[in-house]
Amino acid sequence: MMNTHSTDPVLTSSRDGVLVITLNRPHVRNAVDQALAGGVDAALRMLEDDPRWEVGILTGAGGHFCSGMDLKAFPTEGVPRVADRGLAGLTRADRSKPVIAAVEGAAVAGGFELVLACDLIIAADTAFFALPEVARGLVASEGGAIRLPGRVPHHLAMEMLLTASPLTAPEAARHGLVNQLTGEGKALDGALALAERIRANSPQAVRTTRQVVRATRGLDDHAAFIAQDPLTAPVFHTDTATEGARAFCEKRTPDWTA
């Protein structure tokens, strides 16, 4: 365990190769001010740089994930700055390790955009998502208007973006936005179980697969293969790949066709 002082804006704990990053401003539904933004950025950099951790989990304390940018701090602090890029340091960074969002309660505005920046989503069945920026005279500019239309039907994304309508977790799951629903208070447990399934596989294969998905998104097939090949070719020459093939032939791995 580390960085677990209850007044810190971001808490981190280590669980068998998984770094759990917890937003810790429950009195404001974990709204993002400068201190929290810097803490999340530091934790994600720690995840990326430290070989002890293969998977990250991003969650929130106090029954909510995140209510977005702290609008009470906004008049004096402005947009939280991370690496001189505002929230972009949290939602646009090109990291190689997978991150799972474990969502309880509200994941709205910048909080929902943080969720969309994660690779997988586990949500309590009582959670909800929303992009209410237009109602505040703002714009969903950290991935909401970019990622959401590709994750749910276009008309639903536009309704959320233009009317600030919320989306319940069960409805999000029906549209494939959420990987798995859990009971209230169980999202972190579900995320940890999913992280263990990821960790059962080759870390290099996992990271490379994630990089390929990110690097080829939006490209046509020809351009995608050109971008993919330099990333995947080295994996086929590793000892892990050789052992994986040998284990399959010796029936030491699950037979998914059975």
Side-chain angles (χ1 to χ4, degrees):
M1 302 287 289
M2 65 209 78
N3 296 345
T4 56
H5 195 279
S6 62
T7 61
D8 291 342
V10 175
L11 307 179
T12 57
S13 62
S14 181
R15 307 195 188 189
D16 297 326
V18 179
L19 182 66
V20 179
I21 302 167
T22 304
L23 313 180
N24 188 43
R25 301 186 71 218
H27 58 291
V28 288
R29 293 188 176 186
N30 302 314
V32 181
D33 63 358
Q34 181 59 55
L36 187 141
V40 173
D41 183 56
L44 289 172
R45 291 177 186 274
M46 188 166 62
L47 167 67
E48 183 69 14
D49 295 339
D50 197 314
R52 289 179 295 171
W53 299 305
E54 300 165 23
V55 182
I57 294 175
L58 185 62
T59 192
H64 290 282
F65 183 79
C66 177
S67 59
M69 185 172 64
D70 189 337
L71 295 184
K72 291 184 178 179
F74 176 67
T76 55
E77 290 190 0
V79 175
R81 308 292 295 176
V82 175
D84 295 324
R85 295 181 298 162
L87 286 177
L90 306 180
T91 58
R92 303 186 202 180
D94 184 19
R95 299 181 175 91
S96 66
K97 296 181 182 178
V99 178
I100 304 169
V103 182
E104 299 278 351
V108 302
F112 188 19
E113 292 179 311
L114 284 175
V115 170
L116 291 171
C118 293
D119 299 288
L120 305 103
I121 304 171
I122 302 295
D125 52 18
T126 51
F128 62 95
F129 308 91
L131 291 168
E133 281 87 345
V134 292
R136 301 169 180 171
L138 301 170
V139 177
S141 58
E142 286 309 321
I146 295 170
R147 295 185 173 115
L148 186 62
R151 311 283 176 87
V152 299
H154 178 80
H155 65 275
L156 177 58
M158 296 308 294
E159 181 179 354
M160 293 183 69
L161 286 163
L162 300 182
T163 71
S165 298
L167 183 70
T168 66
E171 187 176 2
R174 284 195 295 272
H175 289 293
L177 180 65
V178 170
N179 293 81
Q180 178 184 328
L181 291 176
T182 72
E184 186 174 7
K186 299 295 184 181
L188 179 56
D189 291 339
L192 286 166
L194 183 57
E196 283 305 305
R197 290 172 56 195
I198 294 171
R199 289 188 63 242
N201 301 311
S202 158
Q204 184 176 6
V206 167
R207 294 178 70 171
T208 300
T209 299
R210 184 183 184 278
Q211 288 176 300
V212 168
V213 171
R214 295 295 180 101
T216 60
R217 183 177 294 147
L219 301 179
D220 62 34
D221 286 356
H222 179 71
F225 278 113
I226 292 174
Q228 170 200 264
D229 290 349
L231 297 173
T232 59
V235 176
F236 289 89
H237 300 285
T238 62
D239 292 340
T240 301
T242 302
E243 170 56 23
R246 183 178 296 115
F248 173 80
C249 293
E250 296 174 356
K251 300 188 183 303
R252 290 187 282 114
T253 57
D255 181 0
W256 303 116
T257 65

